[in-house]
Amino acid sequence: MHNVPPAASPVRIDPGAAAASLGSATGGPLASGAAFAVYRLGRSSFHAAVVRRVEGDVVVIAERTEPIGGAEFDGLLLAYLSGRHPDAGVRLWSRIADPAEAADRQLRARLLEKITRAREELSERDFTVITLPEADIKMPLTREEFESRVGELVESTADVMEETLAEAGVHPAELAGLLMAGGAARTPLAATTLRRRFGVEPVLAAPNAKVLLAEAAPVATRELPFVDEQEAPPRRRGQGRAVVLTAALLVVVGAGAAFGSQLGDGDSAGDDVAADESTAAAATSETLADASAEPSETASEEASATPSESPTPDETELGPEDPVEDEAPSESDPTTESAPIGSVPNVVGMSTAEAHRAVEEAGFAGVEQTGEQRGVFDWSHEDCEIIDQSPEPGSTRALSESVSVTFSYSGEASDCDV
C-alpha cells in the first residue's frame, strides 16, 4: 500500500512583517487606508500581494502565487551554457542532462550550485566565470546573457503582479510602496521591469527579512534547490517552459553526439561520489534534472540546499519537500503541540556568510562554525568554503537547534567570521 503524502501547508504573505519591512526600507510607517504591493521572488515560487492598512491593522486584500523562482532561472542558464560551451564535451553534457550514476548526479548538482552562485554575483557585477574543476571547464557569463535567458520569466511575474493589483482594485499610482523580497528578487532586471511596468520605484527588503507566514504549524521547508517531487503543481501560464528547456538541452547533447569526433569527449575522470543530487534547482523537468521544485514554502525565507533522492529536506524556504506529519499521540500520553521543525539545508560548498544566511532563512537557531586550515598550495577548497556540516542535509530537526559547520581556510580563520 502506497503512502500518500499529506497536503502541503499553504504559505501566505505575512502582512504585518511586510509592512514592517516596507517601513524599515522607506523610513516611515504605513498611513491609515494606504495600500502597498509585495513582490516576493524566492527560489522556487513567486508571491504577489496587495496589503492595506485598515483601522490600525494591516491585511492582505489580494494575493497570487506562481511556481517561478531562482531554481528555474538556474535551469535556463544550464541549458544555455550547454549550447554555449559544447567544447566541454558531449559526454559531459550527456551525464549532466541525464545523470544515471551517483557521480553524475553529484556533478550536475555541483554545476547547478555554481550557476546559482554566479547568478547571485551578477546582481552586483556585470561579469563572472563559472568554474567546474571536476570537469576542468570555465564558462564566462555576463549579466546581459543572464537577463536575456530569464527575461520572459521576469515579465511573467510582473503579469501576476498586475493581475493581483486588478483583483485588489488598486491602481499602481495609488500604491504607497512596492516591496521586493526574496533572494531572486535581487536580480536587477526584476526592479527594472517593475519600474517600467508600474511607474513605481521598488524598494528591497533587508536580506534576512521574512515576509511569509504559513497558515499551519511549520513543517519541512518547501523551497529546496534540488528536491525530487512526486507531483508538479498546476501552472496557469508558461507550462511549456520546462518542456522547451528540456528539449533545448537534449538537442544540444544530441547534436554533440552526431559530431562527437569534432567536439571531443571533455569528460573528467574520478568525479567525487558524494551526496546524491536533489533539485528544485533546475525547476525544469524530470527529463532534464529528474527533479523539480514546488511552489509551496514555509515561513522561512529562501536559501540553497540539496536533499537526497528520497525526499529528505534541505535549505530554506527552499525547495519542495513533502510536509512532515506529526505522529499521532498514543492514548496513554497527553496530547501536546509539536515543536516547530524544519529541514536542515545543505550548506556544503557555500561560503560561511551564505551558510549563515541559508540556515537563518530555514528558520534554525543559528550556525556554529569551526575552521580547518589547509596548506597554502592546497586548492581543493576555497577560503571560507563549508566542507562539512551536522546535522546532515535533509534531516528533520527542531528549529530551535543550531547547525554545526566546518569551513576551510588557508590564512586566518577570523577572515571567515560572519
Side-chain angles (χ1 to χ4, degrees), residues 109-329:
R110 183 63 174 164
L111 177 55
L112 284 169
E113 289 174 359
K114 294 281 189 175
I115 288 174
T116 298
R117 187 174 301 178
R119 172 171 58 80
E120 293 170 349
E121 290 174 352
L122 291 175
S123 296
E124 306 293 337
R125 62 182 71 169
D126 295 326
F127 175 84
T128 189
V129 177
I130 298 171
T131 61
L132 192 63
E134 299 94 322
D136 192 27
I137 59 175
K138 293 184 178 181
M139 297 175 285
L141 183 67
T142 66
R143 180 186 290 181
E144 183 179 1
E145 288 177 299
F146 163 55
E147 292 184 345
S148 70
R149 298 299 99 192
V150 304
E152 180 183 347
L153 288 181
V154 174
E155 289 290 342
S156 294
T157 62
D159 291 341
V160 177
M161 187 79 259
E162 184 174 14
E163 294 168 4
T164 309
L165 286 166
E167 180 182 341
V170 175
H171 190 277
E174 302 175 48
L175 291 174
L178 198 167
L179 180 70
M180 301 181 70
R186 298 186 177 275
T187 300
L189 180 61
T192 300
T193 301
L194 294 177
R195 194 179 297 115
R196 171 176 53 82
R197 292 280 296 267
F198 305 114
V200 178
E201 186 62 37
V203 296
L204 274 172
N208 296 325
K210 295 176 174 60
V211 299
L212 293 182
L213 177 66
E215 291 186 339
V219 293
T221 51
R222 298 287 308 170
E223 201 175 7
L224 306 169
F226 313 116
V227 181
D228 292 331
E229 282 293 329
Q230 295 181 359
E231 295 183 19
R235 117 187 294 179
R236 294 173 303 163
R237 57 174 61 74
Q239 290 182 329
R241 288 199 299 266
V243 176
V244 172
L245 177 57
T246 300
L249 184 54
L250 294 181
V251 166
V252 169
V253 172
F259 300 93
S261 59
Q262 296 177 354
L263 294 176
D265 223 26
D267 181 28
S268 63
D271 296 309
D272 274 346
V273 181
D276 285 352
E277 170 221 10
S278 23
T279 77
T284 54
S285 71
E286 294 181 0
T287 308
L288 174 62
D290 204 49
S292 95
E294 285 287 334
S296 305
E297 305 165 299
T298 59
S300 16
E301 284 282 52
E302 78 181 294
S304 317
T306 312
S308 59
E309 290 181 308
S310 56
T312 45
D314 204 329
E315 216 169 305
T316 149
E317 170 184 358
L318 301 172
E321 274 274 296
D322 289 331
V324 177
E325 287 186 306
D326 293 335
E327 293 182 1

